[in-house]
């Protein structure tokens, strides 16, 4: 650690201990006043989170969710710009003036096939089959709470600079942040903060997997599958060959590669040769260049499937998202704040609810673990997020808070259920408090963000950021809609 980084770390520790002193006009004149600023908005934040949970809107279609968060931040004096980067449900909300500029990310898209009531047994809700199985309803509302609390400090004159809330749609496969980063929306940001719901608490930045996504569509010729099968050209057969080829390809890929898919269209009746079929693929690896090279090989497999079945192939490249670049300078600040603030614990009723839900989990963990905090520095996680693209442009750090019952996997009905209860509420408010405290430290001591930028520049070295998108590619606003035949 060089002299500047040691000084920044020492300043972080000192800032964590600032005393409470609320301003008469509702502003915050000391850091610990952030606690009250979040607490007084707890019902507002939970109401917003529950509404977004109930709406459960797909990526790039989060019209009500985005409008709600944008209006709430606008009511508290933020200047809101909507529809940035050609995305109708995106926004950037800004409060304050000058530097440092601290960005806080907010997500709000749901996942298909995971509708669920807020009960500890499998119980899909009536209506659309979507659910917040990754907790983005909490993500958006918790980030809102942090931004509003920090704005109180700026408004009260305790700190200077700018806080921004970025409404970022379609994290689940749509890659909105990659388009926002490509369009320069983070170029003047000094530090970026984010968080994510989980079944435990952690800080300290890991890296993760870069990801490339594409849809492979085949068009053939229908025929009676029994009376005249020779007249048909099966698009479903092409998808089957693609999928088998992808399975063989796995044997010849580097370690930590992930290739997975779903068949989004495969025909309507067994006695009709399918004239249309579609497969939706992800390719992941810790390095974007490797992920892209594996994807290029997958394209060759897809083309071979088309030749073998005499079908026509159309590829919709949905873009790639980069792996996260850790920033130890920033993560030390968030880790110190988390250690100082953590106080998650279950009530008697929450324990009973959690125990019931754990009956459905393969690997339940002790409920007491929700009060523990782990340091993820140096780890590689196996998911992907478009936050990665942001981290290549501006110094970025994130945390994870316990919003789900211990042992709950992401993208499960159990995550949806807990996210609609006070278990999710606790984790959301915890995240808001830690993000607010971390943003305060960065605004109060610009030397920390200077050190963070130096670290980012070292990590980038001779690898400048280039969005993993095709030339002129636009956001795939319809990627969650049924395929057109």
């Amino acid at each position: 650690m060089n002299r500047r980084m040691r000084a920044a770390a020492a300043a972080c520790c000192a800032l964590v201990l600032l005393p409470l002193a609320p301003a008469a006009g509702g502003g915050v004149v000391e850091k610990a006043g952030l606690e009250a600023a979040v607490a007084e908005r707890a019902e507002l934040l939970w109401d917003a989170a529950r509404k977004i949970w109930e709406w459960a809107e797909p990526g790039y279609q989060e019209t009500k969710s985005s409008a709600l968060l944008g209006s709430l931040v606008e009511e508290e004096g933020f200047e809101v710009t909507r529809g940035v980067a050609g995305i109708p449900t995106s926004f950037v909300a800004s409060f304050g003036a000058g530097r440092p500029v601290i960005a806080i990310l907010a997500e709000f898209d749901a996942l298909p096939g995971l509708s669920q009531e807020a009960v500890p047994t499998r119980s899909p809700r009536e209506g659309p089959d979507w659910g917040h199985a990754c907790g983005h309803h909490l993500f958006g509302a918790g980030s809102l709470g942090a931004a509003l609390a920090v704005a109180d400090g700026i408004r009260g004159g305790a700190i200077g600079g700018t806080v921004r809330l970025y409404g970022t749609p379609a994290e689940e496969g749509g890659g909105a942040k990659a388009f926002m980063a490509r369009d320069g929306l983070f170029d003047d940001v000094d530090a970026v903060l984010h968080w994510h719901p989980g079944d435990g608490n952690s800080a300290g930045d890991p890296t993760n997997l870069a990801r490339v996504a594409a849809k492979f569509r085949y068009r053939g010729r229908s025929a009676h599958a029994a009376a005249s099968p020779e007249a048909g050209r099966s698009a479903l057969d092409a998808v089957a060959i693609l999928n088998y080829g992808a399975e063989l390809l796995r044997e010849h890929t580097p370690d930590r590669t992930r290739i997975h898919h779903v068949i989004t269209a495969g025909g309507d009746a067994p006695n009709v040769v399918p004239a249309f079929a579609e497969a939706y693929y992800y390719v992941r690896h810790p390095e974007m260049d490797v992920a892209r090279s594996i994807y290029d090989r997958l394209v060759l497999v897809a083309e071979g499937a088309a030749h073998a079945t005499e079908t026509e192939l159309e590829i919709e490249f949905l873009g790639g998202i980069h792996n996260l670049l850790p920033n130890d300078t920033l993560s030390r600040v968030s880790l110190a704040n988390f250690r100082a603030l953590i106080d998650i614990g279950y009530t008697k009723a929450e324990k009973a609810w959690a125990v019931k839900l754990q009956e459905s989990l393969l690997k339940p963990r002790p409920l007491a673990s929700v009060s523990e905090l782990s340091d993820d520095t140096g780890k590689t996680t196996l998911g992907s997020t478009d936050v990665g693209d942001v981290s290549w442009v501006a110094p970025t750090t994130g945390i994870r808070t316990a919003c789900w019952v211990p042992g709950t996997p992401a993208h499960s009905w159990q995550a949806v259920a807990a996210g609609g209860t006070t278990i999710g509420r606790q984790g959301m408010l915890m995240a808001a408090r830690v993000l607010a405290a971390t943003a305060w430290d960065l605004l109060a001591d610009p030397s920390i963000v200077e050190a963070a930028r130096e670290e980012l520049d070292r990590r980038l070295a001779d690898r400048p950021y280039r969005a993993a998108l095709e030339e002129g590619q636009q956001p795939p606003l319809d990627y969650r809609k049924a395929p057109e035949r």
Side-chain angles (χ1 to χ4, degrees), residues 240-262:
I241 293 173
L242 164 63
N243 292 345
Y244 182 63
E247 294 302 316
L248 296 178
L249 178 61
R250 293 177 196 274
E251 184 181 354
H252 306 285
T253 59
D255 289 347
R256 296 188 290 180
T257 297
R258 295 288 188 273
I259 304 174
H260 31 264
H261 74 279
V262 292

Side-chain angles (χ1 to χ4, degrees), residues 240-392:
I241 293 173
L242 164 63
N243 292 345
Y244 182 63
E247 294 302 316
L248 296 178
L249 178 61
R250 293 177 196 274
E251 184 181 354
H252 306 285
T253 59
D255 289 347
R256 296 188 290 180
T257 297
R258 295 288 188 273
I259 304 174
H260 31 264
H261 74 279
V262 292
I263 298 175
T264 52
D268 299 306
N271 62 338
V272 178
V273 175
F276 177 82
E278 179 186 85
Y280 186 2
Y281 266 81
Y282 281 3
V283 176
R284 307 188 202 234
H285 188 272
E287 297 291 337
M288 172 54 74
D289 289 345
V290 177
R292 188 60 192 257
S293 69
I294 296 167
Y295 166 75
D296 290 341
R297 296 174 68 190
L298 183 63
V299 168
L300 296 177
V301 174
E303 292 172 345
H307 286 298
T309 55
E310 299 180 72
T311 55
E312 295 181 0
L313 170 64
E314 172 193 338
I315 301 175
E316 182 183 4
F317 179 68
L318 296 172
I321 56 177
H322 281 261
N323 52 297
L324 281 165
L325 283 184
N327 195 284
D328 293 338
T329 305
L330 295 182
S331 68
R332 281 192 293 271
V333 184
S334 60
L335 184 60
N337 280 305
F338 211 154
R339 284 173 175 157
L341 294 171
I342 187 169
D343 60 359
I344 295 179
Y346 288 170
T347 64
K348 183 178 180 180
E350 288 169 342
K351 287 179 181 178
W353 193 96
V355 167
K356 180 63 179 176
L357 181 133
Q358 283 191 325
E359 294 176 2
S360 67
L361 299 178
L362 290 176
K363 296 181 179 180
R365 295 190 294 106
L367 297 185
S369 63
V370 298
S371 64
E372 300 169 356
L373 176 63
S374 64
D375 183 350
D376 284 351
T377 302
K379 296 181 180 179
T380 298
T381 61
L382 298 180
S384 305
T385 173
D386 54 8
V387 177
D389 284 73
V390 179
S391 73
W392 283 67

